[in-house]
Amino acid sequence: VEYWSKVTNWQSIVDKHGGLVWSIACRLLGNDADAADCFQETFVSAFEFSRKQRIRSYPALLSRLATVRAIDQLRSRNRPTNLPDCRDVVDNNPGPQQHLAADELAEQLRLALSKLPPGEAEVFCLRCLNGLSYRAIARHLGIKQNAVGVMLHRARQKLRGLLKSVVVSDEREVLP
Amino acid sequence: VKDKKDILNQAVERLTKTKVSSGPPQEVADATVARLTEMSGSSEQPNMWRIIMNSKITKFAAAAVIIIGVFIGINQFGGSIDGASVAWGQVVEQLNNYTKYKCRQRVVREKGPEVLAMDVYHLNLSLRRQEVENGDIHIIDMRGTDAITVELKPAEMKATVTKLLGFGPRKDPHIIEMVKRFEQESTERLGTKEVDGKILQGFRHTPDGHNDYTVWVDPETKLPVEIELVHTQRGQTIFLDEFEFDFELDPSAFSTDIPDGYEVETLINDYRPVEAKDVTAEDIRSKLNHTAYTVEKLPWMEKIITIETIDPLGTRTKVYMTGIYSNDGNAMIIVQGDYYDIKRMVWIPNQQLVLETPGGIELYTHPNDAIYAKYFLESFAKAKPEFFDIKNLSEERFTWMIVMPDQTILSLSANKQMSDEKVQELVESLTEIKEQEYAIQSPDGPQEFIPHSCIKTVYRRGELSLQKKVYHKTLSLRREEDFDHSSIKIFDLSTKPARILILDPENRKALLKIHYDMGPAKNPDMLAMLAARRKDDSQKLGIHEIDGISAEGFRRVNAYNDITIWANMETGLPVKMEIVHLKRNQTLVFTDFDFETELDESLFLTVSPEGYDLQTITTPEK
């Protein structure tokens, strides 16, 4: 019993799982400054969660919270401008000059994710980026596995549509 | 197969291959820890005991054990007293002259529910009376095969009788009996102390890492005056004093008959041995006090068999063992039972964490790893020789404990080693057995259904929330009317899409909801109640008069619902039913049943009446 209710050692949790949270945040947000905010918000959310109920699996909870917080940031990042063109995103978050076209594709995916309904974006990230099973996602989100499949399907369709429109608009702009 | 040309797949690949540093910059980590430390300074840490004891189910299951009390704890840690030799000088010799004694007992715990102080009268090793400081009286009689505990609350004139079928006969391993077992050589003399002008001689005995006894003896009588027992690992100390040997008390003080005028509640806990038998998922769900799991068949699983049997580890409780035979010749056993409880398994976190799945399932080593695997496999092989031949018991066998994300604990034993991937697949295939599945599959449920009307009252968080007249035509078709006829709802869940018609007679408005994501479905409350009527495995509550009708009560409690049904003694039909949705904090009470009035089909049509303004909504939006 003592174990279950003992005081949480946040230093050791940040030490142990910080790498996981950081990699999710960096990958989804694409720059260190935003990732740092996401990192801290993720642990603060985990802390608040721990006050309500005991955390059984820190990696599972933290990876989900990091994903949700990162998606929140992606959405808020694009809210003020609300411009569909990927160039604006690149301008907002300038990367190194040597970024290849393929990296821009990753950036376009970030932009597209910010335009999905949050639940669909979360399911997509948990499945396609974090590699969780349908069952695990269903358990995390408290929904049925079928619902995970439906949300994932919808997310994929929408993302494909968004990515294609971006590519088309790119092509148009490079035409003389 | 992923289409590599697909733009989404390309984008995902790019994103996942994006190089990121292995961890945050030190200043980010430090700032985060500082913020968390600051926040936790003002936080109240969750108290697991409080959470456990707030659960109605746990309270129900724990009640009888709490009454039997701390003594059981001594037995668990100190061993059986049966057949023990006694040799502890004059004190033991003197103690052996007495068969009955009285003492005052106080328990101090670092954590956990408070145990009130009480006077305990031991008539013999199987019969005792406890007079609690709050006025309650407990009688514990373990002489017969079926032990009985009686809890009397004179102030409220209420009594709870708990029958522990198959629990006895057993001897009460009380502290004084343990004291008799001390051996001279291993008992340390502590010197003397003065209490109420008397000089007492102290002794200390620490038989193991669990119990630490201090006994203060009156040198004149050579009998204990004070005993202190520290349960080191439980954080609990028991103090006994005010001893009286050969007390005088009328034998009726130990009777388990309930005095006249008391309102009696009878509970039955079944400890009888059972023959191993095949069970279905719904059997498990209905019998466990916590979430029940079933194994979803994976391609490499050749056979899956689930049986109910008595715990091979000797806890005298029922367990449910699921045997899985794999296509590579391994036999795995997953065990679940009420004994696998977070309170009892406090040692788990001290074990090695061997696997943690992305879904949050944890697997820990077991201190008796191979021995327990042997017991489980042997027990399964005995019940199902065709499943597993014990001659094939391997030296590679192991046992791990599975801790599900909802804190349910199961064990996994396997005859041969398994790869982490396979273990992960196996534990991820564990699926919660839901109430609805059970109810729909109930073989005798739907056949018993008789159309009727009744009054449904809903209480949320203990307060009256709504009350309606409900007409149940079938398990899937019902009509609900507000008493003032301000709203009528007709639910037709018999087909997909399900249709719900809401009528507002005053304003002549109709709203038709067509749910493409629902149906065909059956009313879970009605099904749950039908299941509760299956008298064979429901707890009997005796006969009471309800609304002037002699009715027999049945109760069935599971992880989701606490269902009580009072059935007419003559017809067997319900008179009153109550469902407590434990997780929703909601109580539904069904009364005023009418099984005689014929219900016209037209009452259940989900078609807007003439002259109504109809609005149709489809879900999901089409």
Side-chain angles (χ1 to χ4, degrees):
Chain A
V1 173
E2 220 168 40
Y3 170 84
W4 303 116
S5 59
K6 75 178 177 186
V7 175
T8 309
N9 183 345
W10 287 101
Q11 175 76 60
S12 71
I13 288 167
V14 172
D15 288 347
K16 193 173 170 191
H17 306 295
L20 170 76
V21 174
W22 182 254
S23 66
I24 292 171
C26 272
R27 194 156 280 140
L28 273 171
L29 293 166
N31 69 74
D32 284 7
D34 285 350
D37 286 348
C38 176
F39 184 86
Q40 195 167 110
E41 280 177 25
T42 298
F43 280 101
V44 168
S45 301
F47 173 84
E48 270 153 14
F49 191 90
S50 76
R51 295 178 81 159
K52 291 176 198 144
Q53 53 183 291
R54 196 173 70 81
I55 298 173
R56 282 236 49 91
S57 167
Y58 274 95
L61 177 75
L62 289 169
S63 60
R64 189 191 158 204
L65 289 175
T67 305
V68 172
R69 293 287 90 85
I71 292 167
D72 285 349
Q73 279 202 28
L74 284 176
R75 290 165 68 80
S76 63
R77 181 193 285 179
N78 295 304
R79 207 168 286 139
T81 56
N82 203 25
L83 293 173
D85 196 308
C86 69
R87 284 162 188 276
D88 291 296
V89 178
V90 176
D91 287 347
N92 282 347
N93 301 282
Q97 290 301 312
Q98 62 270 32
H99 266 190
L100 301 174
D103 292 327
E104 286 181 17
L105 195 56
E107 196 59 49
Q108 286 158 11
L109 179 57
R110 291 185 187 112
L111 173 64
L113 280 171
S114 74
K115 292 178 180 169
L116 290 191
E120 289 177 15
E122 187 183 348
V123 169
F124 179 84
C125 292
L126 291 174
R127 173 72 187 149
C128 300
L129 305 181
N130 299 2
L132 261 65
S133 67
Y134 278 37
R135 180 188 303 282
I137 298 169
R139 193 175 284 147
H140 279 316
L141 305 188
I143 57 176
K144 290 187 174 174
Q145 281 188 54
N146 281 350
V148 173
V150 170
M151 287 171 85
L152 195 58
H153 176 71
R154 283 187 195 147
R156 281 199 168 113
Q157 276 192 326
K158 286 178 190 168
L159 287 171
R160 273 196 195 97
L162 287 163
L163 287 170
K164 273 179 191 161
S165 69
V166 165
V167 171
V168 170
S169 67
D170 259 3
E171 283 168 356
R172 275 184 198 149
E173 288 186 30
V174 294
L175 286 174
Chain B
V1 178
K2 280 184 184 171
D3 176 5
K4 288 195 174 176
K5 286 181 185 169
D6 179 292
I7 190 162
L8 179 58
N9 291 343
Q10 287 180 39
V12 169
E13 197 180 339
R14 283 314 309 166
L15 199 61
T16 49
K17 284 187 178 170
T18 305
K19 281 188 183 167
V20 292
S21 50
S22 60
Q26 195 56 47
E27 63 271 20
V28 173
D30 289 347
T32 305
V33 171
R35 190 166 166 199
L36 293 167
T37 309
E38 191 185 325
M39 289 170 78
S40 55
S42 60
S43 73
E44 187 194 333
Q45 293 301 320
N47 181 331
M48 205 55 214
W49 268 105
R50 193 185 66 229
I51 294 165
I52 289 168
M53 294 312 289
N54 279 346
S55 148
K56 189 171 180 182
I57 287 285
T58 316
K59 269 185 192 168
F60 174 68
V65 176
I66 287 171
I67 290 174
I68 290 177
V70 292
F71 308 123
I72 281 181
I74 304 160
N75 192 30
Q76 280 173 358
F77 297 118
S80 165
I81 62 164
D82 292 332
S85 63
V86 287
W88 188 42
Q90 293 168 300
V91 177
V92 174
E93 221 177 281
Q94 183 71 329
L95 276 173
N96 280 333
N97 292 329
Y98 298 95
T99 55
K100 58 181 183 178
Y101 48 87
K102 173 252 166 188
C103 62
R104 181 164 176 81
Q105 174 200 291
R106 287 173 296 128
V107 180
V108 176
R109 283 176 162 171
E110 287 170 14
K111 283 195 175 72
E114 184 189 3
V115 179
L116 297 175
M118 59 177 80
D119 286 333
V120 188
Y121 297 84
H122 290 263
L123 192 61
N124 58 51
L125 289 176
S126 302
L127 185 57
R128 72 174 190 267
R129 173 188 175 94
Q130 297 172 174
E131 292 179 359
V132 190
E133 64 178 350
N134 67 356
D136 290 0
I137 295 165
H138 304 156
I139 313 293
I140 293 111
D141 184 347
M142 298 190 289
R143 291 172 298 173
T145 314
D146 298 337
I148 298 174
T149 70
V150 172
E151 187 184 5
L152 298 172
K153 290 183 179 295
E156 300 166 40
M157 292 296 278
K158 282 185 177 172
T160 306
V161 178
T162 308
K163 291 182 180 168
L164 307 163
L165 305 181
F167 192 76
R170 62 165 67 185
K171 289 177 180 173
D172 185 352
H174 189 227
I175 291 170
I176 207 87
E177 292 305 313
M178 304 304 291
V179 165
K180 288 180 183 176
R181 297 176 65 193
F182 297 177
E183 287 178 7
Q184 185 82 50
E185 306 79 58
S186 54
T187 305
E188 178 194 347
R189 288 179 78 92
L190 292 179
T192 57
K193 74 169 182 178
E194 193 179 326
V195 175
D196 297 335
K198 265 190 181 173
I199 304 293
L200 304 179
Q201 172 69 54
F203 296 91
R204 186 170 176 213
H205 184 76
T206 315
D208 48 43
H210 300 285
N211 301 296
D212 185 348
Y213 293 86
T214 304
V215 183
W216 294 95
V217 175
D218 179 348
E220 281 177 28
T221 62
K222 298 179 182 63
L223 288 168
V225 176
E226 288 178 10
I227 298 178
E228 180 184 313
L229 166 58
V230 182
H231 282 150
T232 42
Q233 298 189 0
R234 287 182 153 197
Q236 166 179 288
T237 305
I238 302 169
F239 298 97
L240 303 180
D241 57 9
E242 297 179 20
F243 282 95
E244 280 176 40
F245 293 87
D246 262 348
F247 61 83
E248 289 301 323
L249 208 59
D250 192 277
S252 64
F254 296 89
S255 168
T256 53
D257 295 337
I258 308 298
D260 289 342
Y262 273 75
E263 186 187 323
V264 184
E265 183 183 21
T266 305
L267 305 173
I268 294 171
N269 292 346
D270 197 345
Y271 289 86
R272 288 174 299 186
V274 287
E275 285 293 313
K277 62 174 183 184
D278 288 10
V279 283
T280 59
E282 57 261 36
D283 286 332
I284 306 175
R285 191 207 51 75
S286 65
K287 288 183 183 173
L288 284 177
N289 277 333
H290 53 71
T291 314
Y293 288 90
T294 184
V295 177
E296 232 171 60
K297 194 168 181 190
L298 297 170
W300 52 265
M301 295 176 180
E302 280 189 353
K303 272 186 272 183
I304 303 177
I305 302 172
T306 302
I307 59 168
E308 176 189 83
T309 187
I310 203 78
D311 186 3
L313 307 182
T315 58
R316 308 184 72 171
T317 56
K318 281 180 193 166
V319 290
Y320 299 90
M321 298 206 283
T322 301
I324 301 143
Y325 200 82
S326 67
N327 58 7
D328 59 355
N330 197 0
M332 290 144 253
I333 311 278
I334 288 180
V335 186
Q336 50 190 326
D338 284 335
Y339 189 79
Y340 286 51
D341 178 319
I342 199 165
K343 279 186 289 179
R344 295 186 174 94
M345 302 285 162
V346 287
W347 46 269
I348 285 182
N350 299 325
Q351 298 298 307
Q352 188 194 341
L353 178 68
V354 281
L355 189 69
E356 187 170 7
T357 72
I361 301 172
E362 294 170 3
L363 285 116
Y364 292 87
T365 51
H366 192 290
N368 298 320
D369 186 15
I371 301 166
Y372 281 11
K374 180 172 176 248
Y375 288 152
F376 287 134
L377 285 159
E378 266 179 357
S379 171
F380 210 95
K382 194 175 163 195
K384 293 279 164 192
E386 73 280 12
F387 173 82
F388 179 66
D389 185 348
I390 197 63
K391 283 182 201 150
N392 297 332
L393 189 70
S394 134
E395 288 305 314
E396 293 173 40
R397 65 182 185 270
F398 67 94
T399 299
W400 288 348
M401 301 308 291
I402 307 169
V403 182
M404 301 301 286
D406 68 350
Q407 300 184 5
T408 302
I409 297 169
L410 303 89
S411 75
L412 164 69
S413 295
N415 191 36
K416 294 179 191 168
Q417 289 295 314
M418 295 167 70
S419 66
D420 281 359
E421 290 73 26
K422 210 157 204 174
V423 173
Q424 183 170 328
E425 266 193 87
L426 175 59
V427 295
E428 289 275 3
S429 81
L430 290 168
T431 310
E432 185 182 334
I433 306 167
K434 295 265 173 70
E435 165 83 4
Q436 184 104 352
E437 289 165 24
Y438 163 68
I440 285 169
Q441 288 163 15
S442 167
D444 53 354
Q447 288 88 328
E448 288 181 17
F449 188 81
I450 301 169
H452 63 269
S453 66
C454 61
I455 290 174
K456 173 183 173 182
T457 311
V458 180
Y459 298 87
R460 288 202 173 89
R461 299 184 187 281
E463 288 185 12
L464 179 67
S465 171
L466 61 89
Q467 193 166 47
K468 290 183 175 190
K469 175 114 181 174
V470 187
Y471 301 83
H472 287 103
K473 180 75 176 171
T474 70
L475 281 168
S476 306
L477 191 57
R478 74 177 189 275
R479 175 187 175 99
E480 294 187 356
E481 290 177 359
D482 280 2
F483 281 104
D484 59 359
H485 290 275
S486 60
S487 169
I488 297 168
K489 290 182 183 173
I490 300 162
F491 297 80
D492 184 354
L493 313 180
S494 60
T495 57
K496 189 169 190 170
R499 293 162 68 90
I500 300 169
L501 180 70
I502 303 168
L503 299 174
D504 174 358
E506 196 183 319
N507 299 307
R508 301 190 77 74
K509 283 187 176 172
L511 175 66
L512 178 62
K513 292 183 175 177
I514 303 175
H515 288 269
Y516 281 88
D517 53 353
M518 271 173 71
K522 295 186 172 87
N523 182 332
D525 294 335
M526 287 294 111
L527 285 165
M529 287 190 287
L530 287 169
R533 287 178 62 197
R534 295 201 304 177
K535 298 173 186 179
D536 51 341
D537 46 357
S538 293
Q539 176 202 334
K540 289 183 182 171
L541 301 177
I543 297 163
H544 275 239
E545 192 141 303
I546 309 269
D547 297 337
I549 298 166
S550 202
E552 193 177 7
F554 301 95
R555 183 178 179 195
R556 178 187 283 245
V557 185
N558 57 49
Y560 305 95
N561 302 314
D562 181 344
I563 305 162
T564 304
I565 176 166
W566 293 94
N568 187 320
M569 286 290 285
E570 285 177 21
T571 62
L573 293 171
V575 178
K576 181 180 179 184
M577 294 191 273
E578 184 177 309
I579 303 178
V580 182
H581 289 303
L582 300 169
K583 293 187 177 172
R584 278 187 263 163
N585 207 349
Q586 176 177 286
T587 303
L588 278 66
V589 182
F590 297 84
T591 54
D592 299 78
F593 284 88
D594 177 0
F595 290 92
E596 286 170 10
T597 309
E598 202 162 309
L599 303 178
D600 195 282
E601 298 267 347
S602 63
L603 285 171
F604 302 92
L605 294 177
T606 51
V607 178
S608 170
E610 258 182 56
Y612 274 64
D613 180 11
L614 174 69
Q615 187 193 349
T616 305
I617 297 174
T618 50
T619 311
E621 209 174 326
K622 287 273 171 185

